[in-house]
Amino acid sequence: MFKINDNYLKLPGSYLFSTIGKKVNAYAAAHPDKRIIRLGIGDVTQPLVPAVISALHGAVDEMGDAATFRGYAPDLGYDFLRNAIADNDYKARGCDISPDEIFISDGAKCDSGNIQEIFSLDNRIAVCDPVYPVYVDTNVMAGRTGTYDPQGETWSNVIYMPCTAENDFTPELPRETPDIIYLCFPNNPTGSAITKGQLQEWVDYANKVGAVIIYDAAYEAYISREEVPHSIYECQGARTCAIELRSFSKKAGFTGVRLGFTVIPRELKAGEVSLHSLWARRHGTKYNGAPYIVQRAGEAVYSQEGKVQLEQQIAYYMRNAAYIYQGLKDAGYTVSGGVDAPYIWLKAPKGMSSWEFFDYLLENANVVGTPGSGFGPSGETYFRLTAFGSYENTVEAVDRIKAL
């Protein structure tokens, strides 16, 4: 008789955002007269910019002509997109990354879940706490995390690095030595960011102890401060210890289009084995490449028109972030984030737990956010709001919360 991967049975409950969706849908069905404003899931709301739309139309026309039709994409991505990424995201910032070290995919979420496949189950992971759930959950599925403590909501073989108000929501170097370190900056969910000097400490540490950093830079386009690095490869020595994940979802509004990439330098090795070659083999075996029309749309992101249009779109979302931050601060809430990231991290009032505050906002303000406890034990009593709604809805949501 066939058997299942019983590691899936270890996962507590459903995926965080599935739980939120079920609760919101149930409330909406019971209260059809209520207009719910959703500032929970980090999904964009503004349409694709004209430069991207034009590229999509052009690529679709090519696919309708036998002379320019494209079939399977190259395993690792088309050269035109990999070259554009290397030139604009890396060489322009002084980072020594070549096009053949860039692997095109359909998004950073998939890559962040799949990258663990190239590592042994004996590796021990370290994660920020709170943390994007995919990092931990996919390691649970693989069987790398040990046993679950439902009371502490922690896994026995995971090293948790608390990110609290006391350390400005940035992790400290762990006391135990990890093999794989997950870092996400600007951070989801807390909206915090670290300086180049702080990130250099992590790179030096990883090289010293022989760990690899999986660096999620999905929100780098929202960075506003000069001292905050856009890439881990701005740090000396990162080529021998770091993998970087990037996404077009928040940078260019591709949440429904799907495009991302992973960077693995050729110097990054486990002994004599190149991680670049392992990921290339995994990619080529399990993936047929992002669609041609989508990769052409990604190329347009780096055009002069695309850059200008996307700067305006990002400024739109960050205007929302500033409104949420200032509005809640004026109302007496303890808030952070919203400067280098489109997320605002706030303390639940009146001693409420994260889920109690979720229910309170939904029922009394008809506003949806994300309970901080869903991101890890250090997220308890905190709450995340996103800046990805329309400006009008953002203003109304903040005004409703202030009126409570």
Side-chain angles (χ1 to χ4, degrees):
M1 182 177 177
F2 69 87
K3 297 180 180 179
I4 62 168
N5 177 357
D6 58 10
N7 289 310
Y8 278 70
L9 302 180
K10 299 176 183 178
L11 290 166
S14 63
Y15 182 56
L16 171 62
F17 296 105
S18 298
T19 302
I20 291 172
K22 290 174 183 176
K23 288 176 75 77
V24 173
N25 290 339
Y27 180 84
H31 303 85
D33 58 319
K34 302 294 185 181
R35 193 175 83 84
I36 298 172
I37 299 177
R38 301 170 189 253
L39 300 180
I41 190 169
D43 195 3
V44 296
T45 55
Q46 295 302 294
L48 297 173
V49 298
V52 169
I53 291 296
S54 178
L56 284 168
H57 282 305
V60 168
D61 288 341
E62 288 184 57
M63 297 296 280
D65 186 332
T68 52
F69 173 79
R70 308 286 183 115
Y72 287 123
D75 288 346
L76 310 185
Y78 283 103
D79 286 342
F80 61 77
L81 179 56
R82 298 168 89 192
N83 287 331
I85 292 169
D87 290 342
N88 290 275
D89 285 336
Y90 295 102
K91 292 178 183 177
R93 296 193 179 278
C95 302
D96 181 23
I97 296 297
S98 62
D100 66 1
E101 293 174 318
I102 297 167
F103 298 78
I104 306 300
S105 71
D106 58 357
K109 181 177 182 179
C110 292
D111 284 353
S112 65
N114 293 329
I115 195 70
Q116 53 81 26
E117 288 187 23
I118 66 174
F119 296 101
S120 167
L121 293 182
D122 296 335
N123 286 297
R124 194 169 184 196
I125 69 168
V127 297
C128 294
D129 172 29
V131 67
Y132 181 47
V134 171
Y135 307 152
V136 175
D137 286 359
T138 52
N139 277 282
V140 174
M141 294 171 180
R144 192 177 285 113
T145 55
T147 57
Y148 183 66
D149 174 11
Q151 185 172 1
E153 297 183 333
T154 57
W155 294 90
S156 63
N157 204 38
V158 173
I159 298 170
Y160 292 90
M161 303 181 292
C163 298
T164 65
E166 287 68 34
N167 60 15
D168 202 23
F169 302 106
T170 58
E172 299 170 1
L173 297 178
R175 295 192 178 117
E176 300 175 85
T177 303
D179 302 297
I180 302 170
I181 303 167
Y182 286 84
L183 295 178
C184 173
F185 290 103
N187 186 258
N188 176 19
T190 67
S192 62
I194 58 176
T195 66
K196 182 178 178 180
Q198 289 174 307
L199 186 55
Q200 184 67 59
E201 291 181 12
W202 282 97
V203 170
D204 294 342
Y205 171 79
N207 278 318
K208 179 182 177 181
V209 302
V212 61
I213 297 172
I214 298 176
Y215 192 74
D216 187 343
Y219 299 94
E220 61 81 26
Y222 292 83
I223 293 171
S224 64
R225 293 181 294 163
E226 285 292 329
E227 63 268 29
V228 177
H230 288 252
S231 169
I232 196 169
Y233 301 116
E234 294 178 41
C235 296
Q236 187 175 1
R239 287 183 59 86
T240 57
C241 71
I243 294 171
E244 185 163 282
L245 311 177
R246 290 282 192 102
S247 170
F248 286 77
S249 288
K250 312 303 164 55
K251 174 178 183 172
F254 278 30
T255 55
V257 177
R258 306 310 305 150
L259 189 65
F261 61 91
T262 290
V263 178
I264 304 185
R266 291 187 178 277
E267 288 96 318
L268 182 53
K269 296 181 179 180
E272 295 301 314
V273 179
S274 164
L275 269 62
H276 181 281
S277 64
L278 293 182
W279 187 241
R281 179 57 192 267
R282 190 265 172 206
H283 221 58
T285 301
K286 293 191 173 185
Y287 188 60
N288 270 335
Y292 172 72
I293 60 174
V294 173
Q295 294 197 48
R296 280 297 185 193
E299 180 189 33
V301 167
Y302 300 101
S303 67
Q304 200 57 44
E305 298 85 353
K307 289 178 180 178
V308 171
Q309 292 163 8
L310 287 169
E311 283 179 6
Q312 295 171 349
Q313 189 171 90
I314 289 169
Y316 177 94
Y317 290 131
M318 292 309 288
R319 180 189 181 197
N320 290 350
Y323 191 90
I324 298 170
Y325 180 95
Q326 195 60 50
L328 295 181
K329 186 176 181 181
D330 291 345
Y333 286 86
T334 300
V335 293
S336 59
V339 176
D340 296 298
Y343 294 119
I344 288 79
W345 190 242
L346 62 135
K347 184 77 171 177
K350 304 174 184 177
M352 294 186 195
S353 71
S354 296
W355 279 106
E356 285 172 345
F357 188 57
F358 174 90
D359 292 333
Y360 177 75
L361 276 191
L362 179 59
E363 294 167 7
N364 294 281
N366 305 141
V367 172
V368 177
T370 307
S373 60
F375 298 103
S378 291
E380 181 56 275
T381 75
Y382 283 90
F383 204 74
R384 191 193 76 175
L385 292 174
T386 84
F388 288 122
S390 69
Y391 181 71
E392 294 75 18
N393 279 351
T394 298
V395 170
E396 183 176 347
V398 171
D399 290 347
R400 289 185 192 179
I401 296 172
K402 290 169 69 175
L404 293 174

